Amino acid sequence: MVSGDKSAGAVLRAVLEEGTAPRSVIAKSAGLSPATVTSQVRALTAARLLIELPETAGPAGMGRPHSPLVLDIAGNVVIGVHIAADHCTVAVLNIAGTVRLSHRIPHATLEPEVILAAAAAEVRRLRAELTERVIGLGVAIGGWVDSAAGTVIEHGTLPWRNVAVRHYLSEHTGLPVTMDSHTRALVHAEQLFGHAGSTAATVVLFAGNVIDVAFSVHGRVHYGPRSAAGAITRLAGGDTAESELAQCTDRALVAAAHELGLSVRGVPDLVSVAVGDPAAQTLFVNRARILARVVAVVIDLLDPDAVVIVDPGLIRVPGVRAAYLDGVRRFSACERPEEVISGSSFFGRVLETAAGAAVLQRLFTDPLAVVAAAEQAVRPVGI
């Protein structure tokens, strides 16, 4: 049974998973007593997170009428900020994890305060235009992120050290801010809105300008002291591991493409070229071969139910998926990696989903506390 202090979150997750469901189905799905479900539904309805639909009869008109419950996705949104190496993405998502809109803001400089000021200005602009209740701001970024402190300890690509991101954005947007590494946030997203499920052991490998890993066991995402879990620099093996992984970043692939004489502005361009260009394909395939060794080690350590690889070449570039699967077969005990490995559930919306999931995972854990914080949020001058 779910403990009382987590029962509101269990009810909300059950409604998310079922889509539309009566109390009896929610009680079974959430592992709660009917009385507890009734009290929590009352609280969640009062908090404007659930809507009770009109009564309907049971199948074929039999059984007692029931009132199905659904999420109030029309009345609630979150704002997400994803901070990448050369731009920020600011997005609006409903509470079912669907991206409604997103804007990209190129970095004018790599200075933290300049980047955060631009992001905060866009959040304030969106908040002023939205008619729905904004129940929180989620922030996702690569590198070592101390989620509890809301601090980027170090990034790797951005020259950021001990940057108090949550404090700055909270002060300059007036919203309660939840911050996480983008890879851990994607594990939460896969569990809530993707294919992983809430009880699976899940691994996410993110291949971008930062290469990192996050994992969950029995539905709990592992953070470690100061949220330090996920560094994989030495997992490729050998003395050249760090340089090999450095060759796997998006920037390294684009630089290698330029050396080949390919005129591309970024990885999306390179992916488009690689669909029909063998030289460009080789860049993505070689990255997959290196990262497959990392995946193999993680699989043998954790024996996960699902491994999600977030690599823009995985689906579109010929040979990339095969390179991952072949590498895992070679370096791990996993005999059928094709049954374990998949791409992201959020193709084309990975960054926005990661940012939104940073706060949405809190909503589906302790919804009443999140709503209370949102109701107490003060709009800064100018909003």
Side-chain angles (χ1 to χ4, degrees):
M1 298 289 285
V2 178
S3 63
D5 60 340
K6 296 181 180 179
S7 57
V11 169
L12 202 65
R13 288 194 302 276
V15 177
L16 173 68
E17 292 168 5
E18 299 293 337
T20 302
R23 287 173 172 79
S24 58
V25 173
I26 292 168
K28 183 176 181 180
S29 177
L32 296 169
S33 70
T36 299
V37 169
T38 296
S39 65
Q40 294 300 340
V41 164
R42 189 179 301 117
L44 291 166
T45 303
R48 294 186 288 146
L49 292 172
L50 290 182
I51 297 174
E52 193 164 20
L53 299 178
E55 281 191 351
T56 61
M62 302 178 61
R64 296 176 59 187
H66 61 260
S67 300
L69 295 156
V70 295
L71 295 177
D72 186 353
I73 60 173
N76 298 283
V77 296
V78 299
I79 300 177
V81 174
H82 183 278
I83 304 170
D86 54 8
H87 67 275
C88 281
T89 302
V90 183
V92 176
L93 301 85
N94 67 25
I95 61 172
T98 300
V99 178
R100 285 191 24 199
L101 61 90
S102 69
H103 297 146
R104 177 173 290 196
I105 307 171
H107 297 332
T109 171
L110 298 184
E111 289 299 318
E113 188 163 341
V114 175
I115 292 174
L116 294 176
E122 180 65 6
V123 171
R124 292 196 300 268
R125 185 189 70 79
L126 287 173
R127 189 181 179 194
E129 294 179 354
L130 290 166
T131 58
E132 303 89 342
R133 177 176 58 174
V134 180
I135 59 175
L137 174 62
V139 182
I141 186 172
W144 183 0
V145 178
D146 186 336
S147 302
T151 300
V152 175
I153 298 176
E154 62 180 11
H155 188 271
T157 303
L158 291 172
W160 289 20
R161 297 291 184 275
N162 299 313
V163 179
V165 173
R166 184 175 64 201
H167 176 76
Y168 183 97
L169 289 177
S170 179
E171 290 245 322
H172 289 80
T173 67
L175 289 168
V177 178
T178 305
M179 183 179 174
D180 211 340
S181 81
H182 57 201
T183 312
R184 285 194 297 263
L186 285 171
V187 177
H188 288 298
E190 290 288 346
Q191 292 175 331
L192 285 171
F193 314 116
H195 306 302
S198 59
T199 60
T202 305
V203 172
V204 172
L205 170 76
F206 186 94
N209 279 315
V210 174
I211 312 292
D212 49 19
V213 166
F215 65 94
S216 70
V217 178
H218 300 305
R220 294 179 61 89
V221 178
H222 183 67
Y223 283 78
R226 296 193 72 195
S227 305
I232 61 170
T233 300
R234 303 189 184 282
L235 274 184
D239 296 335
T240 61
E242 188 167 351
S243 62
E244 280 189 325
L245 287 179
Q247 296 168 18
C248 294
T249 66
D250 283 356
R251 282 185 173 179
L253 261 63
V254 171
H258 291 165
E259 291 179 2
L260 293 172
L262 299 173
S263 180
V264 294
R265 290 179 296 177
V267 165
D269 282 352
L270 185 54
V271 169
S272 297
V273 171
V275 171
D277 186 302
Q281 289 173 17
T282 299
L283 297 177
F284 286 101
V285 169
N286 286 341
R287 170 160 83 172
R289 287 171 177 160
I290 294 171
L291 294 181
R293 290 155 58 189
V294 174
V295 175
V297 172
V298 174
I299 286 176
D300 281 354
L301 283 172
L302 300 176
D303 191 21
D305 300 278
V307 175
V308 178
I309 297 176
V310 184
D311 181 334
L314 182 70
I315 296 173
R316 293 187 58 196
V317 179
V320 172
R321 178 174 172 80
Y324 275 110
L325 297 179
D326 291 345
V328 170
R329 287 191 194 94
R330 179 181 177 187
F331 293 105
S332 83
C334 182
E335 296 180 350
R336 299 186 65 81
E338 65 276 6
E339 296 179 357
V340 178
I341 293 173
S342 68
S344 172
S345 301
F346 315 105
F347 183 74
R349 294 295 194 185
V350 168
L351 303 184
E352 295 94 329
T353 301
V359 62
L360 287 171
Q361 67 86 16
R362 285 196 61 237
L363 178 70
F364 284 94
T365 301
D366 195 353
L368 300 179
V370 170
V371 167
E375 296 292 347
Q376 293 171 5
V378 177
R379 290 177 177 247
V381 175
I383 296 186

